[in-house]
Amino acid sequence: MNAQQLSHRLTRVAYHVPKGAVVADIGSDHAYLPCYLVLNGVADKAVAGEVVKGPFESARKQVQQEGLTGQIDVRLASGLDAIQPEDGINAVTIAGMGGPLICSILEQGKERLDGVERLILQPNVHAKSIRDWAAANDWVITEEEILKENEKIYEILVLEKTLSPVLLTQQQLLMGPELMKQKTEIFREKWIRESEQWKNIVASMEATAQTMEIIGKKQELIEKIQLVEEVLQRENS
Ligand code: SAM
């Protein structure tokens, strides 16, 4: 992978960045994504934010190598502290981290999201935490994608600010309102895998002492298995 040739996962993240965007990529590592966006004329300007020194240096080097120091600012900062109002950022990408970490970055930097019209988020796990955060903070999910790369399944969520929040069901929060409509083969594979794992956990819990905690956790998993199976068996969501 390099700035000209992104991985399939990052190519799909890039696809959701609107043309002419001023984009901030948070947790930018090698800055491949912002470099690709500027090189391909998608973004006019970008900020690459990175909290760890090593990846920050790699990002800085990459931007220099591509001759993009005039268009991409690489900043050593935690989360949305990397952006300032004068940057005029209108799209933010956060990819390759767990859902809860992405949420904590959004939650801690909420006041810096004024003027941001679109969030393109790619959690490696626990996408549900992002849907919960979106629902609690008046962001609506406009698009979702699910893809597979190197045997791993990834989800991409596109959020836009809304004045009329949409109430999502427990199933939509867990599995994704748009992904449930598409119900692709990869979606099915993901949820069959997950529910098999939950069933194994429930079975191993059956074999241990039935404390209140175990009973509660078992019940929680059984409910999730039922939610998932109902969606997989339904003709249309
Ligand atoms: N976004 C790239 C991608 O999707 O391939 C890199 C993903 S890499 C696994 C996650 C990066 O996020 C790491 O470089 C890590 O240092 C950075 N990171 C983690 N927490 C962060 C935070 N609070 N603010 C900025 N960067 C962060």
Side-chain angles (χ1 to χ4, degrees):
M1 178 167 64
N2 56 46
Q4 274 87 23
Q5 186 69 56
L6 293 181
S7 63
H8 176 44
R9 173 181 62 84
L10 282 181
T11 303
R12 295 311 303 167
V13 172
Y15 171 83
H16 296 282
V17 176
K19 190 155 167 52
V22 181
V23 67
D25 181 43
I26 306 299
S28 204
D29 199 347
H30 288 269
Y32 290 145
L33 179 58
C35 286
Y36 173 92
L37 291 168
V38 173
L39 288 171
N40 286 280
V42 177
D44 295 334
K45 281 195 304 175
V47 168
E50 188 33 78
V51 74
V52 177
K53 199 78 197 290
F56 161 75
E57 293 296 352
S58 311
R60 203 156 60 166
K61 225 177 268 171
Q62 184 67 34
V63 169
Q64 276 166 1
Q65 271 171 19
E66 300 293 341
L68 295 174
T69 49
Q71 288 124 296
I72 303 178
D73 251 341
V74 184
R75 297 179 186 158
L76 183 63
S78 178
L80 296 170
D81 285 353
I83 63 179
Q84 304 294 337
E86 54 273 25
D87 296 324
I89 300 293
N90 54 25
V92 172
T93 54
I94 313 180
M97 302 176 204
L101 177 55
I102 293 178
C103 287
S104 79
I105 288 174
L106 295 171
E107 185 61 30
Q108 281 169 27
K110 255 185 199 175
E111 75 289 353
R112 296 189 188 239
L113 291 174
D114 277 354
V116 174
E117 291 154 17
R118 186 178 284 199
L119 302 173
I120 302 112
L121 309 171
Q122 183 270 300
N124 288 346
V125 289
H126 296 301
K128 180 181 185 299
S129 56
I130 293 180
R131 298 189 188 102
D132 290 336
W133 181 87
N137 289 281
D138 298 341
W139 288 83
V140 68
I141 298 167
T142 54
E143 288 170 75
E144 288 179 312
E145 257 194 66
I146 191 160
L147 62 104
K148 196 167 166 184
E149 183 173 67
N150 300 328
E151 288 311 304
K152 282 197 181 150
I153 294 178
Y154 299 101
E155 289 170 57
I156 298 172
L157 285 71
V158 180
L159 271 49
E160 290 183 2
K161 197 75 191 160
T162 181
L163 292 175
S164 36
V166 183
L167 265 186
L168 297 182
T169 64
Q170 281 307 309
Q171 277 166 329
Q172 288 172 320
L173 288 168
L174 180 65
M175 301 173 83
E178 298 303 315
L179 297 177
M180 278 169 62
K181 286 182 204 159
Q182 302 158 12
K183 237 189 252 180
T184 62
E185 275 311 304
I186 298 172
F187 174 87
R188 286 184 181 280
E189 185 183 331
K190 175 192 163 78
W191 290 108
I192 289 168
R193 261 196 221 175
E194 297 258 350
S195 56
E196 287 305 320
Q197 278 173 9
W198 293 335
K199 283 178 192 169
N200 287 337
I201 299 171
V202 170
S204 65
M205 282 174 164
E206 298 283 8
T208 62
Q210 298 300 293
T211 61
M212 289 306 281
E213 195 190 351
I214 291 283
I215 293 169
K217 283 197 174 142
K218 223 170 54 180
Q219 191 51 37
E220 213 177 279
L221 287 175
I222 290 169
E223 281 166 19
K224 286 209 297 193
I225 294 165
Q226 282 166 350
L227 287 181
V228 166
E229 289 189 340
E230 198 185 299
V231 172
L232 294 181
Q233 281 157 16
R234 211 185 290 158
E235 279 296 312
N236 288 306
S237 288

